[in-house]
């Protein structure tokens, strides 16, 4: 199923964890609609601007896949489990540049430059979420400090 000109439902739901552990990672109709919105409002504009394929490392995650991936559990569901988030990269485009372009040009709920190392352009990845009812345009940088993940305000590259 095509969500946009360059993105399919399959690539936004493919999960190595689900395949390895034989976990169903099929989104429901609500999650599928949110994936379509994410593709239309964020992923396709990124693809159109850079003119290169966007690698989706992680898109939709069922609750079981999210738990197996070490995702946050509890009262507030992950945007991945709601079909509202993707972890992306573009080969040959520094992740800091990708995150900066999204920040400067698109609306989103949350944009996280995850585990980027300055001077190593392809390190880490970019997490972007799009909840049409909560476009707060929040930017964070995830990093490891003393073995724990810490979120810093803003894009720190």
């Amino acid at each position: 199923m095509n969500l946009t000109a360059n993105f399919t439902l399959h690539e936004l739901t493919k999960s190595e964890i689900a395949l390895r552990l034989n976990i169903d990672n099929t989104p429901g109709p609500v999650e599928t609609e949110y994936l379509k919105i994410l593709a239309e409002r964020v992923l396709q504009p990124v693809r159109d601007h850079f003119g290169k394929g966007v690698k989706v490392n992680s898109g939709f995650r069922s609750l079981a896949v999210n738990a197996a991936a070490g995702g946050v559990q509890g009262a507030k569901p992950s945007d991945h489990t709601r079909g509202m988030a993707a972890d992306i990269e573009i080969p040959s485009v520094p992740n800091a540049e990708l995150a900066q372009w999204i920040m400067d040009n698109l609306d989103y709920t949350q944009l996280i430059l995850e585990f980027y190392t300055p001077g190593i352009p392809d390190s880490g990845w970019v997490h972007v979420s799009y909840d049409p009812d909560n476009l707060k345009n929040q930017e964070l940088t995830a990093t490891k400090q003393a073995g724990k993940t810490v979120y810093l305000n803003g894009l720190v590259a």
Side-chain angles (χ1 to χ4, degrees):
M1 170 183 187
N2 288 337
L3 300 175
T4 66
N6 297 103
F7 291 92
T8 66
L9 182 61
H10 173 74
E11 73 184 296
L12 289 172
T13 60
K14 183 180 178 194
S15 165
E16 291 178 20
I17 292 170
L19 291 171
R20 189 171 54 249
L21 300 176
N22 197 30
I23 300 172
D24 182 23
N25 198 46
T26 305
V30 171
E31 293 84 2
T32 300
E33 185 58 31
Y34 281 126
L35 287 168
K36 184 173 178 13
I37 292 168
L38 173 68
E40 290 172 344
R41 307 281 170 85
V42 178
L43 303 179
Q44 190 65 49
V46 165
R47 168 73 170 77
D48 292 344
H49 171 75
F50 287 98
K52 299 178 180 187
V54 175
K55 180 182 175 194
V56 178
N57 297 330
S58 180
F60 173 76
R61 296 182 199 151
S62 67
L63 292 174
V65 169
N66 198 56
V72 177
Q73 306 297 308
K76 184 183 181 293
S78 162
D79 285 339
H80 284 281
T81 64
R82 300 167 66 207
M84 295 178 176
D87 296 339
I88 62 173
E89 299 178 74
I90 300 175
S92 80
V93 174
N95 286 318
E97 181 182 331
L98 172 58
Q100 187 68 50
W101 187 86
I102 293 170
M103 184 180 88
D104 292 342
N105 293 282
L106 301 176
D107 284 321
Y108 48 87
T109 300
Q110 196 172 58
L111 177 66
I112 308 174
L113 182 58
E114 298 210 43
F115 309 108
Y116 177 79
T117 302
I120 305 175
D122 65 346
S123 61
W125 61 89
V126 176
H127 167 96
V128 61
S129 62
Y130 192 97
D131 176 346
D133 296 323
N134 185 20
L135 297 175
K136 60 186 176 182
N137 289 353
Q138 178 187 38
E139 299 90 24
L140 299 169
T141 299
T143 187
K144 288 280 186 188
Q145 293 181 2
K148 295 188 178 198
T149 300
V150 175
Y151 291 90
L152 309 172
N153 285 319
L155 296 180
V156 181

